[in-house]
């Protein structure tokens, strides 16, 4: 039995999108494809586009259990980060870090090109990123981050409290480090825009969950509710759900993180706020609070992590209200003069991490390929890994393909339950306690 996505229906990014202009196409009947792709997020969309370039006469079917942008790719905080993940930044191999940086920047250039080519209205912005500290603990982490940036040879600068307040409209933070080459966007708008502008030989089928997967006569049979797909080549852009198809079992950890945001601030409220629009701040301590002011004047708060072995089914209405309350407290700590501004949405998104912080990329079975486990940095990683997965499938070669094979590997095995769940919950609780001064 394949467990399907079980996302809440209160994702702010998705809810504010305009009505779709094209009807949803669903899987019906028996469809024969040269290439089948499951998962229409960043990885699946990139793989479909690249396959179309490499094989313009092939029939490519991209299928998703939900509508495009309803899943994890449309639920993140809207950062496209060029730097390696914080844990990767500490890796002892300088070549690995440089390859990750190059891959991420290739992904950003690719997304920039699509935004420009198709005029995707997604608040795409070369705004850079602040990494902010609230107090002494956060500043210790920033000093370590500075050391890592020096080792990497990357541009950065310190932003002191007074200057930072002019940008973010609050003196809650003591200092920050600014890095200039990250981008901001509206993730659901970007993902939907890419889905609406796929090449002609890519067929997008939505609201079409695949219930079973089996090999028959050298072909893969993907069985849905009202139809099936038969293909010799299958690409999985399914992140945490890869294990539902029998692959990477006991190697991926499903984690949800949550966000809330306000309605757009009025002109008067913007005067009270007295900061800039369109910036993003990540926490100095990884378990702290992410903060954004969107281009359309919404303040977004993201924190709170949960281990969700049953995905969205693990989060009750009561739990969501508690998360809402925690976000509200974080908001009021930063913007007490905006206490009358309500939150309009609170939502979660599930993603995959591994215990050894290793991303999987490659062939899982004969004719089955996957990019799985983004470790929480999915926009850039999903884009480049999906693109290069298509290269791998058709036998193309490039320096980028060699680089991604260099930096990826096998996620480590997890301990059995109940020890896994107990351990993950303890680690999350410990991180929350350690970062309490930064929340």
């Amino acid at each position: 039995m394949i467990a399907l996505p079980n996302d809440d229906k209160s994702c702010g990014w998705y809810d504010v999108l305009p009505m779709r202009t094209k009807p949803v196409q669903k899987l019906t009947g028996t469809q024969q494809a040269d290439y089948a792709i499951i998962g229409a997020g960043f990885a699946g969309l990139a793989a479909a586009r690249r396959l179309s370039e490499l094989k313009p006469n092939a029939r490519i079917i991209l299928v998703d259990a939900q509508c495009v942008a309803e899943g994890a790719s449309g639920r993140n905080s809207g950062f496209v980060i060029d730097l390696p993940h914080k844990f990767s930044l500490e890796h002892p191999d300088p070549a690995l870090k440089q390859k990750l940086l190059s891959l991420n920047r290739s992904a950003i250039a690719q997304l920039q090109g699509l935004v420009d080519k198709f005029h995707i209205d997604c608040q795409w912005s070369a705004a850079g990123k602040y990494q902010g500290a609230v107090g002494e603990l956060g500043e210790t982490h920033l000093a370590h981050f500075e050391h890592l940036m020096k080792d990497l040879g990357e541009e950065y600068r310190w932003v002191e409290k007074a200057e930072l307040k002019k940008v973010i409209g609050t003196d809650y933070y003591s200092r920050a480090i600014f890095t200039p080459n990250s981008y901001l966007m509206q993730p659901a708008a970007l993902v939907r825009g890419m889905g609406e502008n796929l090449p002609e030989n890519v067929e997008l089928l939505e609201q079409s969950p695949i219930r079973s997967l089996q090999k028959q006569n050298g072909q893969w049979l993907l069985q849905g509710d009202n139809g099936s797909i038969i293909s010799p080549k299958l690409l999985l852009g399914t992140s945490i759900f890869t294990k539902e198809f029998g692959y990477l079992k006991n190697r991926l950890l499903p984690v949800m993180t949550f966000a809330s945001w306000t309605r757009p601030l009025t002109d008067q409220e913007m005067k009270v706020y007295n900061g800039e629009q369109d910036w993003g701040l990540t926490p100095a301590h990884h378990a702290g609070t992410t903060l954004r002011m969107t281009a359309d004047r919404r303040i977004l708060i993201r924190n709170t992590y949960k281990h969700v072995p049953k995905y969205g089914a693990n989060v009750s209405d009561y739990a969501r209200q508690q998360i809402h309350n925690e976000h509200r407290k974080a908001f009021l700590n930063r913007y007490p003069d905006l206490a009358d501004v309500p939150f309009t949405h609170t939502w979660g998104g599930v993603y995959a991490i591994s215990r050894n912080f290793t991303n999987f990329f490659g062939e899982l079975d004969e004719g089955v390929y996957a990019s799985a486990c983004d470790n929480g940095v999915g926009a850039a990683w999903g884009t480049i890994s999906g693109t290069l997965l298509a290269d791998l499938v058709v036998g193309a070669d490039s320096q980028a393909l060699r680089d991604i094979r260099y930096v990826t590997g096998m996620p480590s095995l997890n301990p059995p339950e109940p020890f896994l769940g107990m351990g993950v919950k303890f680690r999350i609780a410990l991180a929350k306690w350690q970062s309490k001064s930064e929340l």
Side-chain angles (χ1 to χ4, degrees):
M1 180 66 69
I2 292 176
L4 298 173
N6 192 357
D7 291 313
D8 56 62
K9 301 302 181 184
S10 59
C11 175
W13 296 119
Y14 191 85
D15 203 36
V16 300
L17 293 179
M19 293 290 291
R20 289 176 53 141
T21 58
K22 297 179 181 179
V24 171
Q25 299 294 320
K26 299 182 181 180
L27 173 60
T28 58
T30 301
Q31 305 296 326
Q32 182 76 48
D34 297 298
Y35 302 94
I37 305 167
I38 302 178
F42 283 110
L45 289 164
R49 184 171 297 280
R50 180 60 175 161
L51 277 175
S52 175
E53 295 172 356
L54 296 168
K55 299 290 183 179
N57 297 319
R59 187 184 187 200
I60 302 161
I61 295 181
L62 174 60
V63 61
D64 199 286
Q66 304 179 96
C67 285
V68 168
E70 282 187 337
S73 290
R75 291 173 171 267
N76 60 65
S77 295
F79 292 84
V80 190
I81 297 174
D82 62 324
L83 297 171
H85 192 276
K86 292 175 185 176
F87 298 103
S88 297
L89 276 175
E90 297 175 339
H91 199 282
D93 182 0
L96 180 140
K97 290 183 278 192
Q98 290 296 335
K99 291 178 189 297
L100 283 170
L101 187 65
S102 175
L103 291 167
N104 288 343
R105 287 182 173 163
S106 177
I108 290 172
Q110 180 177 328
L111 291 171
Q112 173 85 67
L114 293 172
V115 169
D116 292 343
K117 180 178 179 179
F118 297 111
H119 306 288
I120 300 174
D121 184 10
C122 63
Q123 301 178 22
W124 182 264
S125 170
K129 179 177 72 69
Y130 296 88
Q131 189 162 326
V134 174
E136 184 177 347
L137 173 65
E139 291 198 28
T140 300
H141 284 279
L142 285 187
H144 180 56
F145 181 62
E146 179 184 32
H147 170 73
L148 296 173
M149 293 299 289
K150 286 181 176 179
D151 282 350
L152 194 61
E154 281 298 305
E155 181 182 357
Y156 73 94
R157 69 178 180 88
W158 282 95
V159 182
E160 301 301 332
K161 185 169 187 171
E163 180 188 354
L164 186 62
K165 181 181 179 181
K166 292 179 181 178
V167 176
I168 67 175
T170 175
D171 59 5
Y172 191 75
Y173 292 87
S174 57
R175 300 178 84 191
I177 286 179
F178 178 77
T179 50
N181 297 315
S182 291
Y183 283 66
L184 299 176
M185 46 80 178
Q186 207 279 39
L190 175 57
V191 174
R192 179 189 279 186
M194 292 190 295
E196 290 177 341
N197 291 282
L198 287 166
E200 290 186 2
N201 63 328
V202 177
E203 297 174 49
L204 173 61
L205 304 176
E206 303 170 86
Q207 296 181 345
S208 301
I210 299 302
R211 302 286 185 177
S212 67
L213 178 65
Q214 56 185 303
K215 193 75 173 286
Q216 289 186 353
N217 302 319
Q219 303 265 316
W220 287 99
L221 173 64
L222 291 63
Q223 186 62 55
D225 292 332
N226 298 298
S228 60
I229 304 169
I230 300 171
S231 177
K233 301 289 185 181
L234 172 62
L235 288 73
L236 298 176
T238 44
S239 186
I240 187 60
F241 297 97
T242 305
K243 65 190 185 72
E244 298 296 335
F245 297 97
Y247 299 108
L248 302 177
K249 296 191 73 172
N250 302 318
R251 294 183 183 273
L252 305 180
L253 293 168
V255 174
M256 285 189 85
T257 185
F258 299 85
S260 297
W261 74 4
T262 67
R263 58 161 169 72
L265 301 189
T266 65
D267 289 346
Q268 182 58 41
E269 288 162 350
M270 287 296 292
K271 292 178 182 178
V272 173
Y273 157 70
N274 198 31
E276 297 179 3
Q277 287 178 235
D278 193 31
W279 51 262
L281 180 148
T282 58
H285 188 281
H286 68 273
T289 295
T290 294
L291 186 65
R292 272 200 64 187
M293 164 61 86
T294 66
D296 60 348
R297 298 182 170 186
R298 300 173 188 270
I299 296 176
L300 180 147
I301 297 280
R302 189 196 73 176
N303 58 41
T304 312
Y305 297 83
K306 288 187 178 294
H307 177 226
V308 286
K310 296 181 181 179
Y311 313 123
N314 286 109
V315 185
S316 65
D317 289 341
Y318 174 78
R320 191 169 289 106
Q321 184 60 49
Q322 293 299 109
I323 292 164
H324 173 103
N325 294 343
E326 290 180 15
H327 290 170
R328 193 70 193 167
K329 180 179 178 181
F331 173 76
L332 293 176
N333 284 341
R334 288 158 175 81
Y335 301 105
D337 293 337
L338 296 175
D340 291 336
V341 179
F343 284 161
T344 58
H345 298 81
T346 297
W347 69 92
V350 63
Y351 63 96
I353 63 173
S354 60
R355 292 174 61 239
N356 58 351
F357 298 101
T358 296
N359 308 77
F360 179 84
F361 173 91
E363 189 170 9
L364 288 167
D365 200 346
E366 184 179 2
V368 180
Y369 303 80
S371 169
C373 194
D374 59 36
N375 284 300
V377 285
W381 182 257
T383 298
I384 193 60
S385 64
T387 299
L388 295 173
L389 195 66
D391 286 6
L392 180 66
V393 170
V394 304
D397 187 31
S398 66
Q399 183 60 53
L401 182 58
R402 292 190 291 273
D403 286 350
I404 201 169
R405 300 184 85 167
Y406 183 94
V407 303
T408 53
M410 181 60 71
S412 59
L413 278 170
N414 299 325
E417 292 290 4
F419 304 105
L420 174 63
M422 292 168 59
V424 174
K425 289 178 182 178
F426 173 77
R427 288 291 300 273
I428 290 175
L430 177 62
K432 182 177 181 180
W433 179 81
Q434 290 174 331
S435 66
K436 61 183 182 294
S437 63
E438 296 292 304
L439 290 170

